[in-house]
């Protein structure tokens, strides 16, 4: 493990994350769709920003972070393709503080990270607990807290990882051994989306918060996993309806849980015909 020096601040270099989903139809990552919803262009997935913190986590906690660490981010402003952003980590125990800013000084995300599998007062956990009960949901009307889905096959091919490493903002030697970067651990869990959100009415969604909790890692490309999902909370804001849910990931061969990713997905009311007259 690296040196955990209370109050030490680690600042990364400015990086230019790539929006690899520009051509996705009906997606917030598409320029035309995003612009109609008030964004300055197709957005870079929040999961991509997680990769900029990975070298800092390894420097502080060692490579063992990929075997049993956590990271939790709340996204405060979306970025567009090649927009320069800098990651900052304030080292502390039992959790470090994470922030990211663009060149203009606008905060992109804020969060926490640590060497334990679970942090009961992580950034996402605190924010979810503070959310009040929603009004009458329209986009998420078909859901209830406690809804589950199971037996979802999950796998990231090694070829897909290798292709992504050509444009990753921060490349670590571990990735060349097939270890999944934080963005790809989210991508693995996100394979569950067509199942867990199958009843969502027409709308455009984006990541509002993400949390990674690794229990028995590292997780690797070219390996079979199985997912199960649990709806944790349903909330809303003046502009969005929000689904908060866990995706537990198990090793397909052993059935043993190896990681959990918690999603908070914001569905834009302005993108839904159910809110057109509101």
């Amino acid at each position: 493990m690296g040196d955990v020096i209370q109050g030490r601040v680690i600042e990364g270099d400015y990086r230019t994350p790539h929006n690899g989903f520009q051509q996705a139809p009906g997606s917030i990552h598409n320029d035309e769709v995003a612009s109609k919803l008030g964004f300055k262009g197709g957005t870079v997935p929040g999961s991509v920003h997680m990769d900029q913190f990975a070298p800092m986590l390894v420097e502080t906690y060692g490579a063992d972070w990929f075997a049993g660490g956590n990271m939790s981010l709340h996204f405060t402003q979306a970025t567009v393709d090649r927009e320069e952003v800098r990651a900052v980590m304030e080292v502390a125990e039992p959790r470090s503080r994470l922030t990211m800013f663009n060149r203009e000084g606008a905060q992109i995300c804020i969060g926490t990270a640590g060497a334990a599998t679970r942090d009961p007062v992580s950034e996402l956990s605190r924010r979810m607990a503070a959310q009040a009960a929603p009004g009458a949901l329209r986009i998420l009307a078909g859901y209830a807290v406690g809804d589950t889905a199971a037996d979802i096959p999950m796998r990231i091919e090694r070829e897909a990882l290798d292709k992504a490493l050509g444009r990753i903002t921060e490349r670590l030697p571990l990735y060349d051994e097939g270890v999944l970067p934080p963005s790809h651990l989210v991508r693995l869990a996100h394979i569950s989306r067509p199942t867990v959100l199958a009843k969502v009415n027409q709308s455009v969604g984006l990541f509002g918060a993400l949390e990674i909790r690794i229990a028995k890692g590292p997780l690797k490309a070219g390996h079979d996993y199985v997912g199960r999902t649990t709806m944790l909370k349903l909330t809303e804001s003046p502009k969005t309806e929000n689904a908060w849910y866990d995706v537990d990931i198990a090793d397909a061969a052993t059935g043993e849980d190896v990681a959990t990713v918690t999603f908070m997905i914001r569905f834009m009311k302005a993108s839904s015909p159910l809110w057109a007259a509101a």
Side-chain angles (χ1 to χ4, degrees):
M1 178 180 290
D3 295 328
V4 181
I5 303 174
Q6 191 83 11
R8 179 187 177 209
V9 176
I10 307 173
E11 293 187 351
D13 295 326
Y14 281 102
R15 301 297 191 198
T16 54
H18 174 56
N19 174 17
F21 303 93
Q22 174 61 246
Q23 303 307 316
S27 166
I28 195 66
H29 309 304
N30 178 276
D31 280 342
E32 183 179 359
V33 174
S35 297
K36 288 179 179 178
L37 293 171
F39 294 87
K40 54 188 176 183
T43 65
V44 173
S47 53
V48 171
H49 293 313
M50 289 182 141
D51 292 337
Q52 278 182 250
F53 294 103
M56 302 174 183
L57 298 175
V58 171
E59 180 181 342
T60 303
Y61 304 116
D64 284 349
W65 183 87
F66 282 90
N70 72 82
M71 175 167 38
S72 185
L73 293 181
H74 170 75
F75 302 103
T76 52
Q77 179 171 304
T79 65
V80 295
D81 188 53
R82 312 295 182 183
E83 181 177 345
E84 290 186 299
V85 290
R86 166 182 276 178
V88 180
M89 177 175 175
E90 182 177 345
V91 178
E93 286 285 16
R95 69 193 57 82
S96 296
R97 295 295 300 172
L98 308 179
T99 49
M100 180 174 283
F101 303 91
N102 65 11
R103 281 282 187 185
E104 289 69 43
Q107 180 181 279
I108 304 304
C109 63
I110 186 169
T112 55
T117 294
R118 179 180 286 274
D119 179 357
V121 288
S122 68
E123 188 71 31
L124 185 149
S125 296
R126 291 188 303 102
R127 289 181 180 272
M128 184 171 66
Q131 296 293 308
L137 298 176
R138 303 180 190 183
I139 299 168
L140 296 170
Y143 289 91
V145 173
D147 287 349
T148 60
D151 300 322
I152 305 168
M154 295 177 171
R155 179 184 174 100
I156 300 291
E157 296 297 345
R158 182 60 192 264
E159 293 78 6
L161 173 60
D162 289 342
K163 182 178 180 180
L165 292 181
R167 59 177 182 269
I168 196 169
T169 52
E170 301 281 358
R171 186 162 182 162
L172 297 176
L174 284 167
Y175 303 154
D176 294 313
E177 300 169 12
V179 173
L180 294 179
S183 61
H184 280 62
L185 181 48
V186 172
R187 184 175 177 180
L188 179 72
H190 205 42
I191 290 171
S192 67
R193 180 168 177 164
T195 301
V196 67
L197 297 176
K199 294 183 288 185
V200 169
N201 290 297
Q202 180 184 342
S203 62
V204 175
L206 70 160
F207 294 147
L210 292 168
E211 181 169 299
I212 292 170
R213 301 191 296 277
I214 306 171
K216 293 182 182 295
L219 280 72
K220 291 192 172 186
H223 191 86
D224 290 319
Y225 298 96
V226 178
R228 65 183 186 277
T229 69
T230 305
M231 189 64 67
L232 303 175
K233 200 161 192 175
L234 299 164
T235 63
E236 70 171 328
S237 74
K239 294 184 177 181
T240 67
E241 293 187 18
N242 313 307
W244 309 68
Y245 60 92
D246 273 347
V247 179
D248 293 305
I249 303 169
D251 186 295
T254 67
E256 186 175 37
D257 284 350
V258 293
T260 300
V261 178
T262 303
F263 292 84
M264 187 272 266
I265 298 186
R266 297 170 172 145
F267 293 97
M268 305 294 296
K269 291 179 179 178
S271 70
S272 171
L274 296 173
W275 285 97

